[in-house]
Structures are given as C-alpha cells and as structure tokens.
Amino acid sequence: MDPRILASHYMVQLSRTPITQILARAVHAHILTSGFRPSTFILNRLIDVYCKSSNICYARQLFDEIPKPDIAARTTLVAAYSSMGNIRLAKEVFYATPLRIRDTVSYNSMITAYSRNRDGHSAVRLYKEMRVEGFVPDPFTFASVLSALSLIADEERHCQQLHCEVIKWGVGCVVSVCNALMSAYVNCASSPLVLSSSVMAASRTLFDEMEERDELSWTTIVAGYVRNGDLCAGRKLLDGMTEKIVVVWNAMISGYVHHGLYDEAFELFRKMQSMGIKLDEYAYTSIISATSNAGLFRLGRQVHAYILRTELQPSEHFILSVNNALITFYTKHGKLVEAKEIFNKMPIRDLISWNSILSACVNARHIEEANSIFKEMPERSPLAWTVMISGLAQNGFGEEGLKLFNQMKLEGLEPCDYAYAGAITSCAVLGSLDNGQQLHSQLLRLGHDSSLSASNALITMYARCGLVESAYDVFLTMPYVDSVSWNAMIAALAQHGRGVEAIQLYEQMLKEEILPDRITFLTILSACSHAGLVKEGRHYFDTMCTSYGITPGEDHYARLIDLLCRAGMFLEAKSVTESMPFEPGAPIWEALLAGCRIHGNIDLGIQVAEQLFELMPQHDGTYIILSNMYATLGQWDEVARVRKLMKERGVKKEPGCSWIEVENMVHVFLVDDAVHPEVLSVYRYLEQLVIEMRKLGYVPDTKFVLHDMESEHKEYALSTHSEKLAVVYGIMKISPGAPIRVFKNLRICGDCHNAFKFISRVVKREIVVRDRKRFHHFKNGECSCGDYW
C-alpha cells in the first residue's frame, strides 16, 4: 500500500480512538522513515492526535516545524491550550494567525479559551473584533460568548444587546444558545445593580418561548429562581414538569436547605422517593445538611441507615460526597466517635474529608488528636493550617499556635487573614506584645488590616497584653464592626476595671442598632462586677429577657451572683440562687465561694465548699480558697485538715508562676525561685526597693502568708512571690519610663497588690499585672481596680 494512503489511514483511526503517547510517536516515526513528505492533512491529523492524547509538547514541536501551518492546525492548538488552561499560549497562537486565514471556528476557539479562563471581558471584546472584521458568528460562537457574558453581566442591557444579536443572526431557536442566554440573564439577576425580578422575568420569557427544551433548560431556570431567592416560582415550575429531571429536583432541595426551609426540603425529598426518582449523592448531601442545620439527629441517622440499605454499589464520587456530608453531620451533633468511624472506613478521601475531620477534632477540643491528623494529611491546604493554628490558640496552646504559623510561612504558604487572626490570638494567650505588634505590622503591609476577623483578634490581643488604649484605637479605625467587635471591646474595658466606660460603649452599641447577644450580656455583667456597679448590673440582667428575649444561662447567673457577693450582698445572692430555673452548678457555687473569700464569710464558705467538693472533687481551687480562708483567720488546724484532704484525694495545687517578656524573650518566675539565672540580682534589688517602700509607709501584710511561721519568716515568704520577682526583673531590664507588664496564672496576692502601688511611686513607672481574673494598672501609688478586686 502507498505509504501516503497508509499514513492517512492510521491518522484517521488514531484520531477516533484513545491512544497512548508511545503509539502516537510510533506512527509518527513510521511516517518519517517512509521516505515521503506528509501532506498538510496528515500533519494536522497528527497534531490533533498529540493534542487529544495530552502530548501537547509534541504537537507544538511539530507545529513549529511546519513552514506555513494552516488554520486547522492553529485552531487545534488553540483549543488544546484552552483545555489545559494555558490562556497565554492560546493567545500567542491565535494572534499570530494572519487575519486572512482566520475563520469563525478559530474565533470560537479563542472565545471559548477566554470563557474557560473566566475572562469574560476579553471574550466579549474578541466577539466584537470578530464582527468588525466581518466574520459571521454561528451557534457555537453565541454559546461561547454568552457563557463568558454570564461571568461579567451586571446590567440587564448587557444581556439584551447579545439577545438582539442572537435574534439578528437567526439562532434564537438553537437550544444551546437559548440555554446560554438564559444563564446570562440568571447570573445578571444576582447583580446589585439590577432589579432581580425584572431580569428573571426576561429569562422566564425566553424559557417559555423555547420550542424545544432539554435538561439544561429546566435546570437553568429553576436553579435561577432558587439562586435569586424566588423559591415559590421555582417550585411552581418544578411541579409543572412532566420529565423527572434529577438535577432540577436537587437544585430545588438545595435551595430550600440554603434558605433554612428544612420542612419543605424534607417534603420534596420524600416526594422524590415516592415518585421513583433516583436519589443521587447531591440529593443525599443536601438532605444530610438539612438534618445537620436543623438539629434533627434522629432523622439524619435514618437517612444514613437508608443509604446503607439501598445504595449497594455506590460510585466512588457518591461515597466521597455522602461520607463528607455525614462527617459534618455527626460533628455538628457532637458525635466525634461516629464521625471518626466514617472517616477511618472511607476507601478514598479528599481534601474536604481531611479538613472536616480536622475541624471536628479541633471543635471538640481534642487538640492532640487534631495535631496527629494534621501531621498525617497527604496535602495540607491553607484552610487546614488555619484551622489548626486557630484551634491551638483558642484552646490555650499559644506557643504551639505561633510556631505553626511561622512554619506555615517557612513552607512558602501565604497566610490569609484568618490565619493571622489565629496567630494574633496565640499572642493574646501568651501575652506576647512584641510578636503581636509585629503581626499587626505585617497585616498593615499586606493590606489585611481591613479584615474583620484579624481586627477583632487585635482588639483582644492588645487588651490581654495590657494596652487597652491600643485595643480602642483598632476598634475606632475598623472600617466595619460587628457584634463580636463590640463584645471584644466591652470585654477589654471590663478586664481593665473600666466599668463605666464599658457601660457607655454598650449604650453606644444600642444606639448603633447593634442587637446585643448572650455574649454581650456576659461581658457587661463582668464589667459591672469588676467595678462594683450593682444597680447597673441588676438592670442589664433584667433587660436580657424583658427587652431582648434572651434567657439567662448559668453563666449569666454566675456573673450576677459574683457581682452581688463582691458587694457583700449575700442574702440577695442566695435569693437569686434559689430562684434559678435549674439546680445550681459549679459556676454558681464558685461565684459564692469567691465572695465568701473576699468578705471572710467562713460559715457560708464551708457550706459552699462542700457543694463544690461533690461537684468537682479534683478541682484544686476550692481546697486552696477554703484553706486560705482558714489561714487568714489563723485556724491552722483547719488549714492542715484541708491540705490532708487534698493529699488523700490526690489533688495537686497548680503552682503559681509569673512571666514577663523582655526583648522578645519570655522569662518565667516561680514562688521562691532559685532557677532563673539572674534571680539573685533580683532578690538584691528587691531588698533595696523594700527599704525605699518602707520610707513611704509600706508594711508587709503577713496575713497573706498561708503557713504558720515566725513573723520575720513571713515577711521573707512574701518577698519571694513570683509576681514580685517578675516585676522587679522588668524594672531592672526594661528601659526607664516604659511600662512593666507581668502575667500571672493565679490571682494576685493581696500583699503584692499593695506592694506594687508603693513600687510604682518609688520607680515612677506604670506596672501592669494580668492575673487569672483581670488587669491591675499601678500608677503613682494607685491601682485601676480601686482596690475592688
């Protein structure tokens, strides 16, 4: 057989069937060794084969060797580059094509390339150039340019102009063109610049006038109504359908779920079953989402059981989609064990699977397990990094969260604003002001400073690092604030003892028509408690239910009781406890015990402690407070009894420690510290300070020594408290005039509180101490708490 005929025959066959790279190159080699120059037809066929077998590099090499490639070869290459998403090379080939050999098909390929690359403006521009140059559009042209238009149309006239073109060229009866035009109208209806109902009316008119419709026609119009919030019109069309098009039903169910109309979604799902319409993964994932969002655990379990019973040979895509939805379902209902069981049994997993189970573990506060999953992930998306960083920060692992954030950057990933929010929260946990300020600078440089989540995190970070003014600056400069922002700022003022300002900010929030939520009332009650604003606290507690319909929870009652007990109003606190619609739990008794400690109410304190011993027998705080109350009264036998009880029950006291950040390094001090390398210098400098403090009237308050010992030993014991050591170290190391910021894991000692007032006068510096409950700002011999703490 003539080699030319044989080569042509091979090319035709190869273009019709899937082939491998080896086979294509073998045929090419046969042509080259046959001793003839192949025709343009054969070369074009070979280029087409290479393109369809994903060997575009060979196609381009062959194309470049042709002296004058024709329009068929050029169009084939443009289409290939378009399919692989390489718009740059597609443009290069198209615009190198002489105008005299271009045709409608070549323009169609380039318009399609722009459309696939989501560059709608370039696609529409090229269509206009095509018309100016006199080329005649065909149905494929309009289908492509209308697909591009749907990406960018934000005014009805944009759709109308191309609609006129469709009518002008007589392709208004072509189903694919009408579908593309409908899609453009539907997408335009979502634009804020148009009246949605008007544009959807134009789309509906087009649909009604279609002589022939396919599945895409029905799907486009029903999904369009759903997308634009007209569920009634979408449902009316669905009910009038004679065809059983699964995609349309799925779109309607998805719309109901998205708008929170779960009953309607369940009703339509059951109707699909009764009509014998095949339920696919999209229907199941929508209905599982509905049971998740509606809190219908039993119904969700029933759907899960139904899937297991009826889907005997599901596809891989079905298994993946449905299992991902089920992981979320069980997670939302707090069933982490079931969620992990599904994940572990999945034959295939994707990024959504891994991210879902990671988020589940983080939300359940199983941080060690989450960390293991994170390390096992075959691919860590930016979302996974962000979830892990935020999870560590929100669960108190600030150091680990900050390290992970830095590791993310070292691996070449650019953190988003949510990742920055997690890192800033880590700084808040650690009290690391230097790192927090560096992250703030990075946010400004990257343009993330307008991020709501990052700004809210900055408010909390600055507040927890002692700079409430800086927190206020962030709040005031935010371009947009939400209830979280207001709550964070009110909480910041409350923590720093600025109760009156917190109330003023709350009232301003109401004037801005921002509705308070349960968190808002927790923060405002705390503000009242820290500042002793009893009347105001009662008022806000009452308005929760009467004005805003928020039922107070145990945490709200605990804040109110804490407010009353701090003010010594034990009878009213007891009355509130008895009037609660539920049995008092640990937070209520802890608030009462704290009040007993402040006012030395030992009789009530013993009763309350007994309640807490039953509820939380392993919690060290109850034993410590009761022991301290006995020690204050000098009842050392009772102190010994409580400590013996702790030992018998295996309860260990959390050791007190304080820390301070100096030159980006955290220095930790313990009680009676002998570990810190410079602790001897600290003790010597403290002795000098005490001499100066005594001249101003300072007398060590030995009642805060909770051991039975001689008076001089008690004074020495007071001098070894961790917060004193940290403050003195800061005075020694931090440049003169700069504030000293110290953090303590427990409540500040009463003698230390008094001593810091004198120290602030001696060294003429502001001293800020954050303990477990609040901030104390010592300046010129006074504390911001007004000694009400």
Side-chain angles (χ1 to χ4, degrees):
M1 182 181 290
D2 188 320
R4 299 181 185 185
I5 297 174
L6 183 61
S8 178
H9 173 74
Y10 278 150
M11 290 302 102
V12 172
Q13 293 302 315
L14 290 174
S15 66
R16 291 175 180 169
T17 59
I19 66 168
T20 64
Q21 174 182 338
I22 296 174
L23 183 55
R25 293 182 67 183
V27 174
H28 190 184
H30 180 72
I31 293 172
L32 295 175
T33 58
S34 297
F36 77 98
R37 297 179 66 181
S39 65
T40 300
F41 171 78
I42 293 174
L43 291 173
N44 288 350
R45 283 291 188 182
L46 188 55
I47 289 172
D48 183 55
V49 168
Y50 278 138
C51 288
K52 288 180 179 176
S53 59
S54 302
N55 295 310
I56 197 166
C57 56
Y58 295 121
R60 182 56 188 263
Q61 186 177 350
L62 183 58
F63 176 85
D64 289 340
E65 291 173 359
I66 302 173
K68 292 182 179 181
D70 64 7
I71 191 60
R74 294 174 183 275
T75 303
T76 300
L77 211 54
V78 169
Y81 283 133
S82 170
S83 296
M84 65 184 294
N86 195 327
I87 191 69
R88 182 181 64 81
L89 291 178
K91 286 169 62 177
E92 179 185 291
V93 174
F94 177 79
Y95 286 106
T97 303
L99 187 63
R100 58 182 173 77
I101 67 169
R102 291 183 193 175
D103 59 12
T104 298
V105 178
S106 64
Y107 274 97
N108 291 350
S109 294
M110 195 60 227
I111 292 171
T112 301
Y114 281 129
S115 182
R116 283 180 176 172
N117 200 54
R118 304 192 66 79
D119 187 354
H121 293 287
S122 294
V124 172
R125 229 178 357 253
L126 185 59
Y127 170 77
K128 292 177 181 177
E129 290 175 17
M130 172 186 176
R131 292 288 300 111
V132 169
E133 298 296 342
F135 291 93
V136 177
D138 61 15
F140 295 104
T141 311
F142 284 109
S144 297
V145 76
L146 286 166
S147 295
L149 180 67
S150 67
L151 300 171
I152 61 171
D154 54 9
E155 293 184 32
E156 189 173 0
R157 62 184 177 85
H158 298 153
C159 300
Q160 290 171 337
Q161 288 169 355
L162 271 177
H163 195 165
C164 292
E165 287 280 286
V166 167
I167 295 170
K168 174 183 176 181
W169 291 99
V171 292
C173 295
V174 179
V175 175
S176 61
V177 174
C178 288
N179 288 343
L181 184 55
M182 262 201 302
S183 180
Y185 274 119
V186 164
N187 283 288
C188 181
S190 301
S191 167
L193 303 178
V194 302
L195 182 62
S196 177
S197 58
S198 171
V199 181
M200 280 305 300
S203 181
R204 178 59 183 271
T205 300
L206 182 63
F207 174 83
D208 290 339
E209 291 176 351
M210 289 176 67
E211 297 178 4
E212 182 184 350
R213 306 183 186 109
D214 59 10
E215 287 191 10
L216 184 57
S217 312
W218 285 98
T219 304
T220 301
I221 191 66
V222 173
Y225 278 125
V226 169
R227 177 179 173 182
N228 289 286
D230 194 347
L231 299 179
C232 292
R235 181 59 186 270
K236 190 173 181 181
L237 262 177
L238 177 68
D239 290 339
M241 285 174 56
T242 54
E243 302 91 339
K244 298 178 180 178
I245 303 174
V246 178
V247 181
V248 180
W249 286 73
N250 289 347
M252 199 68 233
I253 291 175
S254 177
Y256 281 138
V257 174
H258 180 72
H259 287 85
L261 301 172
Y262 305 123
D263 289 340
E264 289 83 350
F266 297 140
E267 179 263 327
L268 199 59
F269 180 77
R270 295 188 186 99
K271 192 172 181 180
M272 282 184 76
Q273 289 177 292
S274 64
M275 292 179 64
I277 299 175
K278 175 64 177 174
L279 299 169
D280 61 12
E281 59 266 38
Y282 301 103
Y284 282 123
T285 52
S286 289
I287 213 66
I288 291 169
S289 294
T291 59
S292 296
N293 298 336
L296 300 172
F297 179 69
R298 181 177 295 180
L299 182 57
R301 291 273 293 206
Q302 290 173 354
V303 173
H304 186 185
Y306 181 80
I307 293 170
L308 294 174
R309 190 171 65 250
T310 58
E311 298 295 334
L312 302 179
Q313 292 183 316
S315 66
E316 284 190 352
H317 186 264
F318 182 99
I319 294 171
L320 189 62
S321 300
V322 171
N323 281 335
N324 285 346
L326 285 169
I327 290 172
T328 302
F329 163 75
Y330 283 113
T331 299
K332 279 192 175 181
H333 287 90
K335 307 291 183 181
L336 182 59
V337 173
E338 288 84 347
K340 288 193 303 186
E341 186 178 349
I342 290 171
F343 177 81
N344 291 333
K345 289 181 179 179
M346 288 176 70
I348 53 170
R349 300 166 183 154
D350 62 3
L351 206 55
I352 295 173
S353 318
W354 286 97
N355 286 343
S356 296
I357 199 66
L358 179 68
S359 297
C361 290
V362 167
N363 292 336
R365 305 176 73 88
H366 292 199
I367 298 302
E368 288 186 13
E369 199 166 1
N371 204 28
S372 298
I373 289 170
F374 182 75
K375 290 176 181 177
E376 291 174 20
M377 293 179 76
E379 179 188 354
R380 296 175 192 166
S381 66
L383 175 62
W385 285 89
T386 302
V387 167
M388 199 65 223
I389 291 166
S390 299
L392 288 166
Q394 290 164 9
N395 286 279
F397 298 93
E399 186 175 354
E400 292 82 351
L402 209 52
K403 285 180 180 177
L404 194 63
F405 177 81
N406 291 329
Q407 184 186 337
M408 179 184 184
K409 290 170 55 173
L410 285 173
E411 294 193 14
L413 292 170
E414 184 62 43
C416 65
D417 56 330
Y418 293 104
Y420 270 99
I424 292 167
T425 302
S426 295
C427 295
V429 171
L430 295 170
S432 180
L433 178 61
D434 287 348
N435 279 316
Q437 289 175 323
Q438 288 174 19
L439 290 170
H440 191 178
S441 297
Q442 292 173 29
L443 281 172
L444 293 170
R445 189 172 66 251
L446 295 170
H448 290 326
D449 53 308
S450 60
S451 163
L452 187 60
S453 59
S455 295
N456 288 341
L458 282 170
I459 292 173
T460 302
M461 185 275 293
Y462 278 121
R464 294 195 67 181
C465 288
L467 277 73
V468 70
E469 291 80 8
S470 296
Y472 220 149
D473 288 341
V474 172
F475 178 77
L476 293 174
T477 56
M478 288 171 66
Y480 171 75
V481 292
D482 61 0
S483 60
V484 176
S485 318
W486 288 93
N487 291 345
M489 195 61 237
I490 293 169
L493 293 168
Q495 281 182 323
H496 289 265
R498 294 160 70 162
V500 174
E501 291 175 67
I503 288 174
Q504 291 171 347
L505 189 64
Y506 170 76
E507 295 296 339
Q508 183 183 340
M509 172 184 172
L510 299 183
K511 290 178 182 177
E512 298 283 342
E513 298 184 349
I514 304 292
L515 286 176
D517 54 22
R518 68 182 315 277
I519 303 298
T520 312
F521 284 103
L522 284 175
T523 58
I524 201 66
L525 287 170
S526 291
C528 293
S529 179
H530 287 314
L533 303 172
V534 177
K535 179 181 176 182
E536 293 82 352
R538 284 200 202 101
H539 167 72
Y540 291 125
F541 185 87
D542 292 338
T543 59
M544 275 183 68
C545 188
T546 57
S547 300
Y548 299 101
I550 299 173
T551 303
E554 187 176 37
D555 45 2
H556 295 100
Y557 277 102
R559 303 289 169 94
L560 177 62
I561 290 168
D562 181 65
L563 168 67
L564 296 170
C565 288
R566 282 176 181 272
M569 304 170 70
F570 289 102
L571 288 178
E572 186 174 345
K574 186 179 178 183
S575 175
V576 171
T577 304
E578 292 170 350
S579 68
M580 293 190 309
F582 43 77
E583 289 295 317
I588 303 297
W589 297 118
E590 285 181 316
L592 280 166
L593 186 59
C596 292
R597 173 189 55 76
I598 293 170
H599 295 280
N601 191 336
I602 188 68
D603 294 332
L604 180 59
I606 293 170
Q607 297 174 31
V608 172
E610 289 299 328
Q611 295 289 339
L612 284 168
F613 287 151
E614 288 185 19
L615 290 171
M616 300 188 302
Q618 295 301 307
H619 181 56
D620 66 329
T622 307
Y623 299 89
I624 301 305
I625 291 176
L626 186 59
S627 173
N628 292 354
M629 290 173 69
Y630 281 129
T632 302
L633 296 172
Q635 298 181 18
W636 300 111
D637 290 342
E638 292 300 322
V639 171
R641 183 183 65 80
V642 174
R643 289 179 177 171
K644 181 182 178 183
L645 187 63
M646 282 183 71
K647 187 175 181 180
E648 290 172 350
R649 294 180 178 179
V651 180
K652 293 185 178 180
K653 177 182 181 296
E654 180 184 357
C657 70
S658 302
W659 61 97
I660 184 170
E661 187 176 17
V662 178
E663 294 181 352
N664 219 17
M665 180 177 291
V666 176
H667 295 261
V668 180
F669 292 88
L670 303 174
V671 176
D672 198 17
D673 199 303
V675 177
H676 193 278
E678 297 181 77
V679 74
L680 293 178
S681 299
V682 171
Y683 283 132
R684 284 195 294 268
Y685 189 71
L686 178 57
E687 288 176 6
Q688 297 172 20
L689 279 177
V690 170
I691 294 172
E692 297 300 318
M693 290 158 59
R694 285 182 182 274
K695 293 177 181 177
L696 296 175
Y698 168 69
V699 177
D701 193 343
T702 56
K703 74 178 181 181
F704 290 102
V705 178
L706 305 174
H707 296 276
D708 190 11
M709 58 178 68
E710 297 299 325
S711 178
E712 63 271 18
H713 291 157
K714 287 186 176 182
E715 289 191 16
Y716 173 77
L718 288 173
S719 70
T720 65
H721 283 191
S722 66
E723 56 263 55
K724 280 196 182 81
L725 303 180
V727 166
V728 171
Y729 185 76
I731 295 170
M732 292 169 56
K733 295 294 181 179
I734 296 174
S735 57
I740 308 299
R741 295 186 175 84
V742 168
F743 304 87
K744 186 177 181 182
N745 64 330
L746 303 176
R747 183 177 173 272
I748 188 174
C749 156
D751 176 71
C752 290
H753 187 273
N754 187 41
F756 293 152
K757 291 193 289 184
F758 283 93
I759 292 174
S760 69
R761 288 176 62 189
V762 171
V763 299
K764 295 180 173 55
R765 298 175 73 162
E766 181 182 6
I767 299 169
V768 181
V769 179
R770 186 186 92 187
D771 66 10
R772 177 175 278 180
K773 291 289 185 181
R774 62 180 299 164
F775 277 89
H776 299 268
H777 293 255
F778 301 93
K779 195 171 184 179
N780 299 324
E782 296 181 350
C783 180
S784 59
C785 72
D787 295 334
Y788 189 85
W789 58 285

